[in-house]
Amino acid sequence: MGKLYKRYLPLALCVILCVASLFGLAHSAWFWLGVLVFGALAVMGVRDIIQTKHSILRNYPVIGHLRFLFEEIRPEIRQYLIESDSDEEPFSREERSIVYQRAKNVEDARPFGTKIQVYGSGYQWLTHSIRPRHIADTDFRVTIGGPDCAQPYSASIYNISAMSFGALSSNAIEALNRGAKAGGFAHDTGEGGISRYHRAGGGDLIYELGSGYFGCRNHDGSFNPEKFARQAADPQVKMIEIKLSQGAKPGHGGMLPAAKITPEIAEARDVPMGVDCISPASHSAFSTPLEMMAFIRQLRELSKGKPVGFKLCVGHRREFMCIVKAMLETGITPDFIVVDGKEGGTGAAPLEFSNHMGMPLVEGLTFVHNTLRGAGLRERVKIGASGKLISAFDIAKALALGADWANSARGFMFAIGCIQAQSCHTNRCPVGVATQDKSRSRALVVPDKAERVANFHRNTLKALAEMTGAAGLDHPGGFLPHHLMMREKDRNMVVGDEVYPYMPEGFLLREDDDRFGYLKRWRRARPEAFEPFDSGV
């Protein structure tokens, strides 16, 4: 009986104080405040007892709501009061701060030495030279376009990764694109098509083509060549990227409910209003590796020779080898491949997919790089990398492991004001980045944030130039695995090329090096189908 008394005590107090306030009205009108407040709490408590959805409210009327309040503000409490500078949730305060400082063009140096445990397992660093070099020109570029490409693109080695209009607000898209134009780098549209806000910015675009073929689709969702040709003819579009999968949710399709489709989103995606917008898990334009190569050739022809490539998060490694064998059989190669690590996170996804589906960037990148080397195709195909690459060290490491350039999504989101509130899927982004609520997105001032985007890019490449020069190199593309050192266990130091070596050119064709299981998968791969000969992957 005593425990029951304690559980219902808050409700009882509300009732007593409400009644007392009613009697107090005989003395002062101010007691109306008590009547309203305690009366409302008493009504809420009664409702808590009779409702059937929440057990905690039935047992703890009134006071049980504190549980939901604390759950709601838990991320903010943790971020501002509890987490340390190095806790990654998913980006640490230290990582976010370096983006904010570079975006605002303020001092980003830190006093009193590193806070990282340099003798702890997992610590990584780059080797430096006794004779460092000064690099004056930090506008590092890479030319993307193989032998069949008529319009190769000179891209920055650091670009904005795929984020769709619809996932991001109109102001966010325009700010990113204006910043890309000011800084001379590229902006991936994401699979949501090219919106009026991409075009308003005037910056270089990488047109991403997902399984929904948004912007170039028929009414049934299939690919429309004529519509694609019109989109690709835009001088602002520099490259075409077929999205096979993304790190946040590889192998998972998507659906934008009809209620969330605005006229602007319908315009960009070329979909009707009032109908759910479906992104299938796989493409309808091809179903085999050979058909995929034919689709790449078709897109290259329709775009008048612009670079065409694809993006994937590596899953079954044999399936990627099927694609490479199709390249060899047809003689058709993509101009580039973007490897998206499972660390990618701008797409909201089921928890199981976010945590346990897809290959992390380091392993995916080295596998793709070495498979292309083994097939003798690495010189024809450039490789981009994406997945939590926001600092100069992140970029240098990706380049050392085989990438030609790096992309970042959340890094540039931080540059336009993202505070990692992790409410992207709720349409209630507190800073107006990931929302379609106009009252919220108006908080993001496009000219100011566009300048910050350009600042972040410029200052990050400046830091990369300083690290490159310190290593005795003239260009970041010179980083190799042996420049990377790491602790495998406490106090045990290993060199990058011992853990992530570059495999010999043509070893898969010669079948003379079976390290890491490459040959086993290569022999089971076939260009005619993604399915295996047997039950293995």
Side-chain angles (χ1 to χ4, degrees):
M1 191 68 181
K3 291 182 179 179
L4 182 66
Y5 167 76
K6 290 180 181 179
R7 287 194 283 119
Y8 287 92
L9 179 60
L11 173 57
L13 287 174
C14 289
V15 173
I16 292 170
L17 290 171
C18 178
V19 172
S21 297
L22 285 171
F23 283 109
L25 289 174
H27 303 283
S28 173
W30 282 102
F31 279 96
W32 273 114
L33 182 62
V35 172
L36 294 174
V37 172
F38 295 116
L41 290 174
V43 171
M44 181 175 71
V46 173
R47 179 185 176 276
D48 289 342
I49 293 173
I50 63 176
Q51 59 84 35
T52 58
K53 290 186 177 180
H54 301 290
S55 300
I56 195 168
L57 296 182
R58 287 170 65 86
N59 280 332
Y60 297 90
V62 181
I63 199 171
H65 287 276
L66 289 176
R67 185 259 185 190
F68 297 101
L69 172 63
F70 290 139
E71 187 178 64
E72 182 74 17
I73 64 174
R74 179 182 179 275
E76 289 80 7
I77 294 295
R78 174 178 174 80
Q79 182 176 125
Y80 294 119
L81 300 178
I82 298 175
E83 74 174 18
S84 73
D85 286 349
S86 58
D87 287 344
E88 296 188 11
E89 293 287 341
F91 285 87
S92 70
R93 183 172 183 83
E94 188 174 75
E95 290 169 327
R96 299 194 305 272
S97 294
I98 199 169
V99 178
Y100 299 147
Q101 289 166 330
R102 288 175 175 168
K104 294 175 182 177
N105 225 13
V106 299
E107 177 64 56
D108 62 357
R110 299 293 175 88
F112 229 65
T114 182
K115 298 178 182 179
I116 297 176
Q117 298 297 318
V118 298
Y119 292 102
S121 177
Y123 175 67
Q124 302 178 11
W125 70 97
L126 294 172
T127 57
H128 66 278
S129 172
I130 292 176
R131 290 180 58 82
R133 302 184 183 186
H134 173 69
I135 301 175
D137 183 6
T138 63
D139 183 24
F140 303 118
R141 320 294 294 186
V142 57
T143 300
I144 303 172
D148 299 322
C149 176
Q151 301 185 55
Y153 176 54
S154 177
S156 169
I157 64 167
Y158 195 44
N159 302 287
I160 302 173
S161 198
M163 294 179 285
S164 299
F165 170 58
L168 299 193
S169 69
S170 57
N171 285 16
I173 291 293
E174 187 172 348
L176 288 170
N177 197 258
R178 284 194 188 186
K181 182 171 179 61
F185 52 100
H187 178 193
D188 194 312
T189 65
E191 66 174 308
I194 305 174
S195 72
R196 64 179 69 176
Y197 302 103
H198 289 98
R199 301 187 194 280
D204 291 352
L205 293 176
I206 301 170
Y207 180 24
E208 184 175 273
L209 211 60
S211 57
Y213 307 113
F214 297 126
C216 57
R217 56 190 269 136
N218 295 310
H219 294 306
D220 62 356
S222 60
F223 176 69
N224 185 302
E226 291 75 22
K227 290 182 179 179
F228 171 79
R230 288 196 294 271
Q231 295 275 25
D234 188 338
Q236 199 175 345
V237 175
K238 301 301 181 183
M239 301 201 298
I240 315 299
E241 178 183 274
I242 304 168
K243 174 193 166 185
L244 299 183
S245 57
Q246 68 183 93
K249 47 181 178 181
H252 191 280
M255 189 268 286
L256 185 65
K260 292 186 177 181
I261 299 177
T262 67
E264 293 169 325
I265 292 175
E267 174 189 67
R269 300 193 178 201
D270 191 19
V271 297
M273 294 286 293
V275 179
D276 292 341
C277 181
I278 305 295
S279 294
S282 60
H283 281 261
S284 60
F286 57 88
S287 59
T288 70
L290 292 175
E291 289 177 359
M292 180 179 167
M293 292 305 105
F295 188 55
I296 288 174
R297 179 173 58 189
Q298 180 185 18
L299 296 184
R300 187 178 286 134
E301 292 171 352
L302 291 170
S303 65
K304 307 299 183 185
K306 290 184 177 180
V308 178
F310 63 88
K311 177 181 82 172
L312 83 165
C313 176
V314 177
H316 295 328
R317 286 165 286 180
R318 176 196 48 77
E319 290 183 348
F320 179 76
M321 288 181 163
C322 291
I323 295 174
V324 173
K325 281 195 170 182
M327 296 179 199
L328 293 172
E329 181 162 320
T330 62
I332 302 168
T333 54
D335 297 294
F336 65 92
I337 298 171
V338 175
V339 182
D340 197 17
K342 77 143 306 67
E343 305 94 318
T346 56
L351 184 64
E352 295 86 351
F353 277 78
S354 295
N355 287 348
H356 303 293
M357 187 69 74
M359 189 175 289
L361 176 61
V362 169
E363 289 76 13
L365 174 59
T366 53
F367 174 77
V368 168
H369 171 68
N370 280 326
T371 300
L372 291 174
R373 283 176 62 86
L377 296 174
R378 183 61 182 88
E379 295 303 314
R380 293 172 61 115
V381 183
K382 292 293 192 292
I383 298 178
S386 58
K388 292 189 75 173
L389 305 179
I390 64 170
S391 72
F393 174 76
D394 296 334
I395 300 170
K397 178 182 174 181
L399 298 178
L401 296 180
D404 294 295
W405 84 89
N407 294 334
S408 177
R410 287 169 291 181
F412 285 98
M413 285 178 68
F414 292 141
I416 58 175
C418 171
I419 61 171
Q420 196 171 268
Q422 300 184 59
S423 58
C424 312
H425 61 298
T426 67
N427 206 34
R428 297 195 301 270
C429 174
V431 293
V433 174
T435 179
Q436 295 304 305
D437 185 338
K438 295 290 187 181
S439 67
R440 291 176 178 269
S441 63
R442 65 174 294 278
L444 196 157
V445 180
V446 172
D448 175 64
K449 302 306 184 187
E451 182 180 357
R452 292 190 184 189
V453 169
N455 288 343
F456 169 60
H457 179 268
R458 183 183 64 255
N459 289 324
T460 300
L461 290 193
K462 180 182 177 182
L464 179 61
E466 291 172 346
M467 295 193 80
T468 303
L473 303 173
D474 294 318
H475 190 279
F479 279 113
L480 293 169
H482 68 256
H483 291 109
L484 182 65
M485 307 288 290
M486 59 193 75
R487 290 201 187 282
E488 202 169 38
K489 299 176 182 178
D490 288 354
R491 297 187 178 276
N492 289 343
M493 181 180 72
V494 294
V495 185
D497 57 5
E498 295 175 12
V499 184
Y500 305 112
Y502 282 14
M503 298 292 282
E505 286 279 354
F507 79 95
L508 291 174
L509 302 179
R510 298 188 302 271
E511 297 194 356
D512 60 2
D513 192 330
D514 199 19
R515 284 178 291 169
F516 310 110
Y518 279 87
L519 281 183
K520 175 184 175 182
R521 291 179 174 83
W522 181 255
R523 288 165 180 158
R524 294 175 53 250
R526 51 177 177 160
E528 298 84 10
F530 288 108
E531 292 75 21
F533 291 113
D534 50 49
S535 60
V537 296

